[in-house]
Amino acid sequence: MENKNTISFSDPETRQIFLEWWENLDESRGKRAELRHCHNIVEVVFTPSFHSLRKELKEFRINQEALAAIAGVLSHVKSSDTNSSLSAQMSTPKQGSQKAVVSDLRFRRLLTIQDRNDLFTTMIRIVRLLDGRVNIFDLAKSIYFWNERTKKRLAYEYYENIPVEKKK
């Protein structure tokens, strides 16, 4: 089988692979728990669940470390909300609040991350702040293609949606 050059998170087949893999974690609580207990990307690589996702994506040339980070973070997602982007979800206030779920300071710290293990732990914290309700495809895309272009995209979307603080 020929490898495709790059994975695309907007491709319907790729999205279906991720969605089915993620939904399968609900059916096998042990697999989800095993991934949730991973403290870093290396520990994720030692799980069978990661390798089942990797096998599903064998037609692509994959960045294994990025895929492991995605697998670990997705195990913390409780529900997929594809109605808005990850950035919009981070900047939207919780019900009854006027402040973004992910504060401006925390968001700016996210944008300074260079190391994928740091990104792994920070994204898990963000998923928790969002009560586990995240756009899994945008989350996966952001982790996989973590670079300056991704950071700019996130920043544009975050600040476009952040509530304007009212002056007293």
Side-chain angles (χ1 to χ4, degrees), residues 3-4 11 19 27 33-34 39 41 45 50 63 73 94 103 121 125 146-147 164-165:
N3 282 358
K4 293 182 181 178
D11 173 58
L19 183 62
E27 296 167 13
E34 184 178 35
H39 296 96
I41 294 170
V45 172
F50 163 71
N63 176 332
V73 174
K94 283 192 175 190
S103 70
T121 55
R125 287 187 195 116
W146 189 251
N147 55 31
V164 178
E165 289 187 28

Side-chain angles (χ1 to χ4, degrees), residues 9-121:
F9 291 90
S10 57
D11 173 58
E13 288 179 40
T14 304
R15 290 170 79 110
Q16 190 63 33
I17 289 170
F18 275 95
L19 183 62
E20 287 176 6
W21 177 85
W22 175 74
E23 287 174 340
N24 186 41
L25 291 179
D26 265 348
E27 296 167 13
S28 178
R29 298 271 183 201
K31 291 178 184 178
R32 180 181 296 276
E34 184 178 35
L35 283 169
R36 281 186 175 175
H37 285 97
C38 294
H39 296 96
N40 57 50
I41 294 170
V42 172
E43 290 179 10
V44 172
V45 172
F46 296 154
T47 66
S49 296
F50 163 71
H51 291 282
S52 70
L53 176 59
R54 194 173 66 84
K55 286 178 190 173
E56 289 292 324
L57 297 166
K58 66 181 176 262
E59 66 184 82
F60 299 102
R61 192 174 21 184
I62 296 289
N63 176 332
Q64 306 292 341
E65 185 176 89
L67 188 63
I70 291 167
V73 174
L74 286 182
S75 71
H76 293 269
V77 176
K78 296 175 186 171
S79 63
S80 180
D81 178 1
T82 57
N83 293 325
S84 57
S85 69
L86 174 63
S87 297
Q89 291 166 336
M90 288 190 282
S91 62
T92 302
K94 283 192 175 190
Q95 198 167 10
S97 176
Q98 294 183 358
K99 294 185 178 183
V101 174
V102 176
S103 70
D104 179 54
L105 180 60
R106 187 181 296 263
F107 181 75
R108 284 186 282 135
R109 283 185 185 149
L110 167 68
L111 297 180
T112 65
I113 293 174
Q114 299 295 324
D115 178 72
R116 204 170 298 273
N117 263 314
D118 292 340
L119 179 63
F120 172 77
T121 55

